[in-house]
Amino acid sequence: MEAVTAERAEGALLSVRGLTVRFRLRGGRTVAAVSDADLDLAAGECLALVGESGCGKSVLASALLGLLPGNAVASGTALLAGGTPEAADLLAADEKTLARTVRGRRVGLVPQSPAAHLTPVRTVRSQLEETVRALTAVPRRARREAAEAAAARAAFPQGHLDRYPHELSGGLAQRAATALALIGDARLLLADEPTTGLDRDLVDRTADELRRHVDDGRALLLITHDLAAAARVADRVAVMYAGRIVEVAPAHRFFGPTGPRHPYARGLLDALPERAFTPIPGMPPELSALPEGCAFAPRCARATARCATRPDLRAGVACHHPEHARA
């Protein structure tokens, strides 16, 4: 595992090590939103980060772009294009660097809450054209056409381009945000729940467009609870539980007959309507009061006394009693 990790890290567009995010609360309490996250992402690859709501997926993405609130403390490293003259540690970069050279240019973002990222007093068309102007070399006379092309890529209807954000449904706002993120053709795209509010046909269309972005030689970190969308586009899957990555696996194995090895990851799949439709018992732990050992142990039928100690992410799975591969 260590040799494979080293090889992957060497050629990675994004290499994250030990990413930890703590939120400071009143009374001196802290919330461990993300703990010791390691991941690598290569050009031409999609990594899907999946898990229940509140597990830390969106916090991880916000940390990479310096978008955490003021009471958050992030540590670790997140090297973007490590080994190149433009290499940058996203966690160490200041706001000026992130705003001028990273966001939109080197790293694009499809936000989880698009309404909060759209300017309320400007039409979708004007925001698309302004983004074209800021991030591309398209001449002024061609900006309108480029904006319409970006809208088409995100399945945003041209008839709604001259509307303001408050006139859009949640699904349309999501597609507008996706169009904005695609304009710069950033080498790395962070898509945080990009299919929220979309019907199944639009989910598939959005997923396919994101896959085309990857197939053009760029990288995609897809943060989603939509496992069907992840299965459609991902090359690898990383599973988060209670702020920790508990399994990383090739998508063909994770979604195929072999299945995942971590009991929680397998429970996510078994809870799908098209599978066993069996919910995972119990509730996730409070992030402000995580146990010393395996956080999933209270919900796990395989737990033993050994689970009072925290398992490391070895051979792609952080579990003392991983599931055997299905026949």
Side-chain angles (χ1 to χ4, degrees):
M1 177 65 182
E2 293 178 359
V4 172
T5 300
E7 180 181 350
R8 179 174 287 279
E10 184 177 349
L13 177 61
L14 174 69
S15 183
V16 175
R17 291 293 178 272
L19 173 55
T20 297
V21 179
R22 298 285 186 269
F23 290 104
R24 295 171 296 198
L25 305 180
R26 291 180 180 177
R29 293 191 306 129
T30 61
V31 171
V34 179
S35 298
D36 297 318
D38 293 349
L39 60 86
D40 296 299
L41 185 56
E45 180 183 38
C46 171
L47 174 66
L49 185 60
V50 304
E52 292 169 295
S53 296
C55 70
K57 305 187 302 295
S58 295
V59 173
L60 187 151
S62 295
L64 294 177
L65 284 174
L67 297 176
L68 292 170
N71 67 329
V73 178
S75 59
T77 60
L79 299 180
L80 180 63
T84 74
E86 298 180 343
D89 183 352
L90 298 178
L91 299 185
D94 58 26
E95 173 59 25
K96 182 178 179 180
T97 300
L98 291 170
R100 292 189 176 184
T101 67
V102 175
R103 297 187 197 122
R105 292 169 172 82
R106 298 178 67 186
V107 184
L109 173 67
V110 181
Q112 183 179 29
S113 302
H117 288 255
L118 297 172
T119 304
V121 296
R122 299 182 63 184
T123 65
V124 174
R125 184 191 300 277
S126 68
Q127 293 182 62
L128 289 171
E129 290 185 3
E130 173 62 20
T131 304
V132 169
R133 184 198 67 78
L135 299 182
T136 74
V138 172
R140 184 173 183 177
R141 64 182 180 277
R143 288 175 191 162
R144 182 184 181 93
E145 182 179 349
E148 292 178 352
R153 289 176 67 186
F156 188 91
Q158 289 199 14
H160 291 67
L161 281 170
D162 294 312
R163 294 189 177 186
Y164 292 88
H166 74 273
E167 298 176 301
L168 304 178
S169 66
L172 283 173
Q174 186 68 61
R175 283 180 271 170
T178 300
L180 287 166
L182 291 172
I183 284 175
D185 283 329
R187 293 186 66 197
L188 171 62
L189 184 63
L190 306 182
D192 191 358
E193 303 289 0
T195 59
T196 299
L198 306 183
D199 62 35
R200 197 72 243 168
D201 287 343
L202 284 173
V203 167
D204 291 346
R205 183 168 174 178
T206 299
D208 291 346
E209 182 57 48
L210 293 174
R211 184 67 229 186
R212 278 190 285 274
H213 188 81
V214 173
D215 291 340
D216 285 341
R218 301 174 183 88
L220 170 64
L221 179 59
L222 174 64
I223 297 170
T224 185
H225 67 272
D226 187 339
L227 294 179
R232 191 175 181 92
V233 300
D235 298 293
R236 290 185 299 130
V237 179
V239 182
M240 284 195 80
Y241 184 76
R244 291 184 179 274
I245 295 177
V246 297
E247 182 165 7
V248 181
H252 67 84
R253 177 173 71 75
F254 188 90
F255 293 109
T258 300
R261 299 189 63 210
H262 196 284
Y264 171 68
R266 187 154 291 189
L268 286 178
L269 289 184
D270 287 344
L272 295 175
E274 61 270 25
R275 300 213 179 196
F277 204 27
T278 303
I280 302 173
M283 296 292 293
E286 292 290 337
L287 295 180
S288 58
L290 292 174
E292 290 292 327
C294 174
F296 187 62
R299 307 173 70 185
C300 182
R302 303 174 69 89
T304 66
R306 188 181 179 191
C307 301
T309 61
R310 182 177 299 148
D312 294 326
L313 186 65
R314 294 177 179 174
V317 59
C319 182
H320 293 305
H321 309 291
E323 299 270 3
H324 295 294
R326 286 173 174 158

